Amino acid sequence: MVVGLAVATLVATATPASATEYSSALKIQGVQYNAPGRDDNRCVGGNTSQEYLTIKNYSKTATVNLRGYLVKDAAGNSFKFTADHYLQPGDYVRLRGGNGNDSDGNNVVYRDNCNFIWNNTGDSIYLYKPTGAGADSHSYTPARDDADGNGYVTFH
């Protein structure tokens, strides 16, 4: 019986640490971690708005308000949704870098920060509920997760 426990522990340890499953309607659908073109984080004329995280409501019935949800990377850079932004069942939002007009109709929220957040060499992404509980998390590396090299990784 002890051998069975050791094997179970070994199998759990050997599982890739690229994702953690949570019971949450909101999931990180994917990330455009490498904006097209040369990285330029100037607020005017730069391309940080081309870097984005896609968050989708996978519920078939529940509308979810993003207010209070928190997104972080491995280095601790973070963004908190401070305004109401409703995702209907099956709807998504793109959390973009840079500045712009948030819009439910255009499915976009801007971080109002012109610095890139997602590392081109790989990163970890964490989505937290307003209560602080985990909603979803993923790690990526281009070599492992971006076979076509387009700078976008899909998780769900």
Side-chain angles (χ1 to χ4, degrees):
M1 184 133 181
V2 173
V3 172
L5 289 175
V7 171
T9 302
L10 179 60
V11 170
T13 304
T15 303
S18 62
T20 303
E21 280 301 317
Y22 296 95
S23 61
S24 173
L26 291 186
K27 302 277 186 195
I28 302 164
Q29 184 180 34
V31 63
Q32 180 72 47
Y33 66 90
N34 189 0
R38 186 170 170 254
D39 285 352
D40 183 343
N41 67 351
R42 291 177 298 146
C43 285
V44 176
N47 65 342
T48 54
S49 67
Q50 299 304 307
E51 179 187 86
Y52 60 88
L53 181 70
T54 306
I55 300 169
K56 183 174 179 179
N57 180 357
Y58 283 90
S59 172
K60 298 201 185 306
T61 58
T63 297
V64 179
N65 186 355
L66 287 169
R67 181 190 286 269
Y69 274 81
L70 179 70
V71 174
K72 290 177 80 171
D73 74 344
N77 298 303
S78 65
F79 174 83
K80 187 172 191 173
F81 290 90
T82 58
D84 291 331
H85 190 91
Y86 294 93
L87 291 182
Q88 304 298 319
D91 201 6
Y92 69 91
V93 66
R94 287 197 173 131
L95 176 60
R96 292 187 177 275
N99 300 308
N101 295 319
D102 297 350
S103 169
D104 280 342
N106 291 327
N107 297 334
V108 66
V109 171
Y110 288 88
R111 291 189 293 111
D112 294 326
N113 184 322
C114 296
N115 292 320
F116 291 99
I117 188 171
W118 313 117
N119 295 328
N120 292 352
T121 57
D123 211 337
S124 295
I125 306 167
Y126 307 95
L127 177 64
Y128 295 98
K129 297 177 181 180
T131 61
D136 200 14
S137 68
H138 294 277
S139 296
Y140 66 88
T141 61
R144 181 188 69 206
D145 303 310
D146 188 8
D148 62 5
N150 68 354
Y152 188 84
V153 173
T154 301
F155 301 117
H156 291 281

